[in-house]
Amino acid sequence: MNGSANLAEEVRALEGLGLDALREVWRVRYGAPPKLRSHDLLRMALAWRMQADARGGLDRGARDALRRTQPLATAQPALSTGIRLAREWKGVRHEVVAIEGGFLHHGKTYKSLSQIARVITGSRWNGPRFFGLRAEKAAQ
């Protein structure tokens, strides 16, 4: 069996593995696995790394282009200036006002709703979802 077919077989073998097994494969090949909790994401990262090792990964031009790329802008819903959003959290009502260039909450300006949701809850939230601007995914 040639190297390309062997690599394809190794990548295919990752399909049926659970999170713990994928972490073990990573540990054996590369050391401490990343702290991912999604077996799908870990499987894809492991498959990419195996293929990159075998085929050389990204060429210099692609790596340079990625370094030059600006960070993605935070996708915010298009809200007109002055729109008020409200959310009750643990019995406390929180209001946010859309202003030019961001959002106002308790007298402080934030660039994103996610920043405000984190201040309110103490944990990471999708801001538009926290304020009811995005529907929850239907249970499957």
Side-chain angles (χ1 to χ4, degrees):
M1 185 181 313
N2 67 29
S4 182
N6 189 31
L7 176 62
E9 188 175 297
E10 287 182 72
V11 169
R12 250 190 316 276
L14 300 174
E15 274 297 315
L17 300 180
L19 186 58
D20 289 336
L22 289 167
R23 285 179 174 152
E24 184 57 30
V25 171
W26 189 292
R27 194 173 287 109
V28 168
R29 285 180 170 263
Y30 306 112
K35 296 179 181 182
L36 299 172
R37 292 183 284 184
S38 164
H39 75 280
D40 288 333
L41 188 55
L42 184 57
R43 180 180 38 78
M44 288 186 281
L46 185 55
W48 186 90
R49 181 107 185 244
M50 291 164 59
Q51 293 172 77
D53 285 350
R55 297 186 179 138
L58 298 174
D59 63 25
R60 182 180 176 95
R63 286 192 310 270
D64 289 346
L66 287 170
R67 282 189 198 101
R68 285 190 307 269
T69 302
Q70 295 296 317
L72 294 175
T74 303
Q76 289 293 335
L79 298 175
S80 300
T81 301
I83 293 288
R84 291 183 180 273
L85 302 172
R87 165 74 193 258
E88 186 172 317
W89 180 258
K90 295 189 177 183
V92 177
R93 182 178 169 85
H94 296 273
E95 285 195 15
V96 173
V97 179
I99 60 172
E100 182 91 21
F103 301 92
L104 187 64
H105 176 253
H106 289 288
K108 186 172 178 187
T109 301
Y110 296 88
K111 290 182 182 179
S112 74
L113 292 172
S114 295
Q115 289 176 322
I116 298 169
R118 187 171 194 173
V119 167
I120 292 168
T121 66
S123 62
R124 290 187 179 266
W125 268 84
N126 175 294
R129 181 170 288 158
F130 179 80
F131 285 100
L133 299 175
R134 290 192 182 156
E136 293 289 328
K137 290 183 180 177
Q140 296 178 6

